[in-house]
Amino acid sequence: MKVCVVGTGGREHALRHVLARTSEVVEEDADLYVIGPEAPLVEGLADRLRAEGKLVFGPGADGARLEGSKAWMKEVLAAAGVPTARHGVFREVEPAVEFLKSLPGLYVVKTDGLAAGKGVLVTESLADAAEDVRAKLSGSAFGPAGRTVVIEEGLSGGELSVLAVCDGSRAAVLPTARDFKRAADGDTGPNTGGMGAYSPVPDAAGLAFDDVIDRTLGELRRRGIEYRGVLYAGLMLTPEGVKVLEYNVRFGDPEAQVVLPRYAGDLAALLAEAAAGELRSQPKCVDDACVCVVLAAQGYPVSPRTGDVIAGVEDARQVEGALVFEAGVARHGEGPLVTAGGRVLDVCAVGPGVDEARRRAYEAVSRISFAGMQYRTDIAA
Ligand code: AMP
Ligand code: GLY
């Protein structure tokens, strides 16, 4: 089978790497198209390719609204009876601030539209939350994506990402992963697209997520939406049980980089079955764990600097179990590899257990260098 992966980040590199074990990865003229990022899905790329008769793994614009509009997602969750945080949707400052005042104390303000993982503020300060509402609704913070906000009560508990491969009515749930969204050690600093991840998550052992996914797919079907692609549930393990914080409509980045290397079956076959609405394979994964440490550019996530020369990638790949995925890099002709994005490299390692995978990943990290390189030292610690 010939497979084309749409997208250029670390997630897509991981997809190509694992798909290439069992299929031929091509640039175009493929038997199967796998769409990586959310923006083209929300814009309807899957619909356009399907209209040309192509086999596509990725939801149409109708299903991708789950990520394109958090307000709509919350409506679907409520209709599906899936547990989630109490919320309100606002376009005006005053009622939004009134709603904030009615919440018990941890405030969450989200842009309705896409904001590359940076549109969420979680704060204990009512003043900061109100200020954020003003910045978002005025359009100054996130443009049109912020002109509607979703305000939620803050929940607490361990977080978990669950990726389910869906064929419209059935789902194959992949192993759990946990990502690290804050920029700095100890979960401090601004939210980012993700600074690292690991899989599996020990405190999720024994929990089943099929019910959450099945209810959501069922609700989408009731609305006439045939969802064929990854449904990514961002979950929180609260004292009252598992609650959905968000849905994304594609593989997580960097969750894909730790879940997919553990895949032991034929990933291309699994995704092709889902794309055709005929999911039959049971997902198969190795017991080994995988850890990913993201190397980010100076200035990330605010204003990443580009053009810094990167050294040591091939050396890092020699570490046992290591995989280095290219997230934001460029190579000009015969020149050296240079930084070309906020998240630059995803340094991953597979190993027997999270601790050993972590040790290997940081050993690989220690072999790489570029000016301004920043990363967290506490991924999977
Ligand atoms: P989201 O993009 O909706 O997943 O939000 C990004 C991050 O904000 C999540 O991974 C959580 O860490 C945090 N978050 C989102 N919603 C809530 C909530 N209701 N309570 C506490 N934290 C939240
Ligand atoms: N790692 C979070 C995301 O992919 O949205």
Side-chain angles (χ1 to χ4, degrees):
M1 188 181 356
K2 290 183 180 169
V3 186
C4 170
V5 177
V6 178
T8 58
R11 162 185 49 210
E12 288 77 20
H13 189 180
L15 273 165
R16 287 188 187 94
H17 176 85
V18 177
L19 287 165
R21 292 175 183 165
T22 56
S23 67
E24 187 187 344
V25 176
V26 297
E27 299 291 321
E28 49 195 277
D29 280 333
D31 305 307
L32 171 68
Y33 291 77
V34 178
I35 303 175
E38 60 275 19
L41 290 165
V42 170
E43 284 160 15
L45 178 61
D47 302 302
R48 290 200 295 281
L49 290 170
R50 285 191 181 108
E52 293 171 17
K54 316 269 199 220
L55 186 62
V56 183
F57 184 75
D62 52 1
R65 244 186 119 191
L66 276 181
E67 184 163 358
S69 168
K70 287 189 196 280
W72 189 75
M73 172 197 72
K74 295 290 277 193
E75 185 195 313
V76 171
L77 285 176
V82 172
T84 185
R86 189 156 74 87
H87 80 291
V89 178
F90 302 94
R91 288 181 188 79
E92 309 287 339
V93 172
E94 270 176 31
V97 172
E98 283 310 306
F99 184 74
L100 281 171
K101 286 181 185 159
S102 77
L103 295 176
L106 185 63
Y107 309 98
V108 184
V109 182
K110 303 184 176 184
T111 59
D112 177 52
L114 294 181
K118 294 158 202 157
V120 178
L121 177 76
V122 182
T123 178
E124 290 177 7
S125 158
L126 180 61
D128 289 357
E131 189 45 46
D132 191 55
V133 163
R134 286 191 192 92
K136 282 173 177 156
L137 290 181
S138 72
S140 67
F142 291 95
R147 287 198 184 269
T148 298
V149 294
V150 175
I151 296 179
E152 295 181 7
E153 63 172 342
L155 303 174
S156 53
E159 280 186 56
L160 200 64
S161 302
V162 169
L163 309 176
V165 171
C166 304
D167 78 346
S169 41
R170 281 155 298 201
V173 178
L174 299 178
T176 53
R178 175 166 286 152
D179 77 336
F180 294 74
K181 290 200 170 73
R182 298 298 194 98
D185 283 1
D187 287 331
T188 57
N191 262 321
T192 70
M195 292 298 288
Y198 64 94
S199 172
V201 181
D203 41 310
L207 293 176
F209 307 101
D210 305 70
D211 189 45
V212 165
I213 303 293
D214 289 347
R215 281 181 194 218
T216 306
L217 286 180
E219 177 57 28
L220 291 173
R221 282 181 75 80
R222 270 190 290 282
R223 293 168 184 242
I225 298 171
E226 179 84 8
Y227 191 100
R228 295 183 184 175
V230 172
L231 190 55
Y232 159 143
L235 304 173
M236 193 169 261
L237 308 175
T238 76
E240 303 98 65
V242 174
K243 295 194 180 179
V244 172
L245 294 182
E246 64 162 344
Y247 273 127
N248 294 318
V249 299
R250 33 84 194 166
F251 286 102
D253 187 343
E255 288 92 330
Q257 290 89 313
V258 292
V259 171
L260 297 178
R262 302 182 56 220
Y263 199 73
D266 181 341
L267 182 65
L270 182 79
L271 303 189
E273 286 175 16
E278 295 165 354
L279 197 56
R280 285 181 304 267
S281 299
Q282 289 295 321
K284 293 187 213 68
C285 290
V286 297
D287 289 335
D288 278 359
C290 188
V291 171
C292 171
V293 179
V294 173
L295 304 185
Q298 171 152 330
Y300 181 74
V302 181
S303 53
R305 187 174 75 191
T306 59
D308 289 307
V309 174
I310 305 167
V313 171
E314 286 317 314
D315 202 16
R317 288 188 169 127
Q318 302 312 312
V319 173
E320 188 178 5
L323 295 162
V324 182
F325 299 121
E326 298 179 353
V329 303
R331 201 183 270 104
H332 303 291
E334 297 289 289
L337 200 64
V338 298
T339 64
R343 291 188 287 178
V344 177
L345 294 169
D346 303 322
V347 183
C348 306
V350 176
V354 171
D355 289 347
E356 177 60 12
R358 173 174 200 277
R359 196 195 62 72
R360 292 176 182 180
Y362 277 105
E363 162 69 24
V365 166
S366 73
R367 300 184 181 194
I368 298 177
S369 61
F370 55 86
M373 173 170 122
Q374 48 159 330
Y375 60 92
R376 283 182 60 160
T377 65
D378 62 349
I379 301 301

